[in-house]
Amino acid sequence: MLTAEDKKLIHQIWDKTGPKHDEMGGEALFRMFTAQPQTKTYFPHFDVSWGSDQVRTHGRKVVSALSSAVKNVDNLSQALSELSNLHAYNLRVDPPYFALQLLSQSFQVVLAVNLGKDYTPEVHAAFDKFLSAVAAVLAEKYR
Amino acid sequence: MVHWSAEEKQLITSLWSKVNVEECGAEALARLLIVYPWTQRFFSSFGNLSSPTAIIGNPKVRAHGKKVLTSFGEAIKNLDNIKTTYSKLSELHCDKLHVDPENFRLLGDILIIVLASQFARDFTPACQFAWQKLVSVVAHALARKYH
């Protein structure tokens, strides 16, 4: 459950990393593909090499969705409703929690790389909870 | 037996040589207790775990974190024989400590994030791959003797 303090930290960190958002998504995806190769099975049509346009574009989509989630953290179900439908009926990233947790891990690694000491234990906890909540909403309609 | 490429071994050992085991261990364990608070159930004798500040400053957490990461170092010294290295510890975690092996995976992920925050760009994607593989192998070895 996200506390008021968690939400504050998430907003702060999201604002702070604003200038890097453009690259962060692509880097998170690339790290996920590299560190957890089984995730590539969802992107057989992608060039997953470093610097790939497809990865970069898709990364921007992911970050844009996360930005929307951050802005609407009190109403994730509604804000992510379309994406939730997409993941449930179309993409079917399976199993729902597990694969999305791998992206969460790589995204947090990117945050940690960029923030260093500023990715404090409290921020880490807040983001881990937030990304879990996002993953749960995306998996809501699976069955 | 796990196969490690020369590159993976190099990425693991060269990063490890720069790690302050005491600091890194303390931080990783503290973060486990903060990010996944239910893990505190294994440390009821550790005293004050009531807030992130209390956890981070708790000397028992620091000491135990150092112990855990020192043991990790043993795995790194014995990459080709991690199963045997952790055989007794696996029995201990099952029979005496009663730790759900899922927690080993959680600690492994936390360690990765601590390393990422410390080494920043030096913690390259290739490095992350090698270390994710390592923490997964360690977690597996620790779970191996469960019954």
Side-chain angles (χ1 to χ4, degrees), chain A residues 56-111:
Chain A
R56 226 169 334 147
T57 305
H58 198 71
R60 279 196 207 112
K61 268 197 210 157
V62 170
V63 165
S64 167
L66 285 174
S67 282
S68 167
V70 169
K71 262 199 224 80
N72 296 284
V73 72
D74 288 317
N75 199 354
L76 287 177
S77 268
Q78 196 173 50
L80 298 173
S81 178
E82 279 310 306
L83 271 180
S84 181
N85 288 335
L86 184 73
H87 281 75
Y89 305 124
N90 203 316
L91 302 175
R92 293 171 152 166
V93 172
D94 183 9
Y97 293 98
F98 185 66
L100 294 175
Q101 146 68 12
L102 297 180
L103 178 56
S104 165
Q105 171 73 352
S106 277
F107 199 83
Q108 290 192 62
V109 166
V110 171
L111 285 172

Side-chain angles (χ1 to χ4, degrees), chain A residues 23 27 30-31 34-37 50 98 101 105-106 108-109 112-114 116-117 119-122 124-125 128, chain B residues 27 31 34-36 52-53 56 105 108-110 112-113 116-118 120-121 123-126 128-129 132-133:
Chain A
E23 323 150 5
E27 183 174 352
F30 182 74
R31 279 181 182 269
T34 308
Q36 319 274 11
W50 178 244
F98 185 66
Q101 146 68 12
Q105 171 73 352
S106 277
Q108 290 192 62
V109 166
V113 161
N114 280 287
K117 291 248 163 284
Y119 200 65
T120 63
E122 290 89 335
H124 179 169
D128 195 276
Chain B
E27 185 167 353
R31 282 181 187 245
I34 292 166
V35 179
Y36 306 115
T53 314
I56 293 164
R105 193 187 64 76
D109 277 355
I110 295 240
I112 301 278
I113 290 176
S117 79
Q118 189 186 337
R121 297 259 150 245
F123 196 66
T124 62
Q128 184 182 345
F129 172 73
Q132 294 278 180
K133 184 172 168 178

